Amino acid sequence: TNSKAFTAKTSCVRRRYREFVWLRRQLQKNAGLVPVPELPGKSAFFVGSSDEFIERRRQGLQQFLERVVQSAVLLSDSRLHLFLQSQLPVAAIEACVQGRGPHSVTEAILHYAMAGCAWGQ
């Protein structure tokens, strides 16, 4: 990204659907009256191959994130930045945002960026 809102200009993270559900809830709590985009549905009755389902969901999650980062209010949430720019699990994101982690939000993001985008670190 070229956005000045992000500490790391490039990041790659792996997230599960339930983590997106958590992120959306957190954004809703902190956004006040600003609407938070919907997540793609979690349909148990998808017709087609599992590869098609996964790709459709991935596209839906990508659209969710694109809409989220278009909102200045949502973009100001530290949880969003850690979600997108670190591989920290949800509990560690919460601890970091609340000042209970070993690093500040910016330090956590930079630490992850320096680790070379390794999965699971």
Side-chain angles (χ1 to χ4, degrees):
T1 182
N2 291 329
S3 172
K4 293 181 182 182
F6 290 96
T7 302
K9 296 305 169 196
T10 302
S11 63
C12 56
V13 294
R14 190 171 198 149
R15 297 290 181 192
R16 300 195 54 89
Y17 185 84
R18 68 177 174 258
E19 293 172 308
F20 279 88
V21 171
W22 169 84
L23 175 65
R24 185 170 187 279
R25 284 186 189 134
Q26 297 309 309
L27 292 173
Q28 282 178 311
K29 284 182 190 176
N30 298 327
L33 298 176
V34 174
V36 178
E38 293 293 328
L39 289 169
K42 189 173 182 177
S43 173
F45 302 105
F46 177 75
V47 177
S49 74
S50 61
D51 289 342
E52 288 176 59
F53 173 75
I54 291 168
E55 180 56 21
R56 232 190 222 158
R57 180 180 278 177
R58 187 201 63 74
Q59 290 173 358
L61 294 171
Q62 179 70 34
Q63 290 172 350
F64 165 78
L65 290 174
E66 288 170 2
R67 289 183 192 125
V68 164
V69 299
Q70 290 174 4
S71 165
V73 170
L74 301 179
L75 193 54
S76 69
D77 194 300
S78 297
R79 288 170 186 84
L80 173 66
H81 287 265
L82 287 165
F83 185 86
L84 292 175
Q85 299 178 87
S86 79
Q87 196 60 45
L88 292 174
V90 168
I93 289 174
E94 279 299 331
C96 187
V97 169
Q98 295 170 7
R100 294 184 288 113
H103 304 291
S104 70
V105 171
T106 302
E107 289 169 344
I109 291 167
L110 290 174
H111 177 73
Y112 178 72
M114 300 292 281
C117 217
W119 299 116
Q121 289 189 1

